[in-house]
Amino acid sequence: MKKLEVSAIEEGTVIDQIASKSTFKVANILDIQNIDQVVLVGVNLSSKKLDKKGIIKIGGKQLTQDEVNKIALIAPDATLNIIKDSEVERKFQVAIPDTLEGIVKCFNPNCVSNHQVIQSKFHVMNKNPIKIRCHYCERHMGGDDIELV
């Protein structure tokens, strides 16, 4: 089998251990089409941890906490590698926070968060499988119901 090599980035972020089916969802969170730096996206790569995995390398980008929280919802097994001077400066697994503010839309059409200019807020009831409760209408949502803002 021919092995492909992907060049390292000098500065930026590598998101690894993404379930293959979630790779492009993570790419959409990061709005990669509007990044002027090097962006590499790999899907269906072999993995010891996952059956098949995805990986995204983004030169010159440090993720915001909101981006990390959204990635944790979509790809809870993902790891982030912060790259400085072509070396991994820091590596950590994403984690779903106990409260999600301003990153998920309530699926209840009558919820006040869908009618007034207020930030959505959810309490995480269960992390695996994900189950959240709206702070305002108390509606429960599972993974299939989650729509990112």
Side-chain angles (χ1 to χ4, degrees):
M1 180 195 309
K2 185 176 179 183
K3 187 170 182 150
L4 299 175
E5 290 214 15
V6 177
S7 61
I9 55 175
E10 283 186 40
E11 309 281 329
T13 303
V14 176
I15 304 134
D16 197 3
Q17 299 301 329
I18 307 166
S20 276
K21 65 183 173 72
S22 300
T23 305
F24 290 108
K25 291 177 185 174
V26 172
N28 285 335
I29 290 168
L30 302 172
D31 196 23
I32 62 171
Q33 65 269 20
N34 292 318
I35 295 176
D36 292 337
Q37 298 281 338
V38 171
V39 177
L40 300 164
V41 179
V43 287
N44 295 325
L45 304 170
S46 59
S47 168
K48 292 176 184 162
K49 187 175 175 184
L50 303 169
D51 183 32
K52 296 281 185 181
K53 74 172 183 175
I55 188 169
I56 300 174
K57 292 184 175 191
I58 307 170
K61 177 158 176 76
Q62 299 299 315
L63 303 185
T64 66
Q65 190 59 53
D66 276 356
E67 289 171 326
V68 173
N69 291 344
K70 287 178 181 181
I71 291 168
L73 284 172
I74 301 301
D77 293 321
T79 56
L80 297 182
N81 297 281
I82 310 304
I83 310 298
K84 296 268 189 200
D85 298 321
S86 300
E87 298 288 329
V88 176
E89 180 183 75
R90 206 171 96 220
K91 179 178 184 169
F92 61 95
Q93 180 153 357
V94 296
I96 298 170
D98 293 332
T99 304
L100 304 167
E101 294 189 59
I103 65 170
V104 175
K105 179 181 182 343
C106 185
F107 81 147
N108 176 2
N110 297 320
C111 182
V112 67
S113 67
N114 291 321
H115 296 285
Q116 294 184 14
V117 184
I118 55 173
Q119 193 174 56
S120 67
K121 183 175 181 178
F122 290 86
H123 303 284
V124 177
M125 309 307 292
N126 193 29
K127 294 186 179 185
N128 190 11
I130 187 72
K131 186 172 185 177
I132 59 178
R133 186 187 80 234
C134 179
H135 177 77
Y136 302 106
C137 72
E138 298 188 355
R139 182 76 59 102
H140 288 252
M141 296 168 46
D144 292 340
D145 304 319
I146 292 176
E147 180 184 336
L148 298 176
V149 174

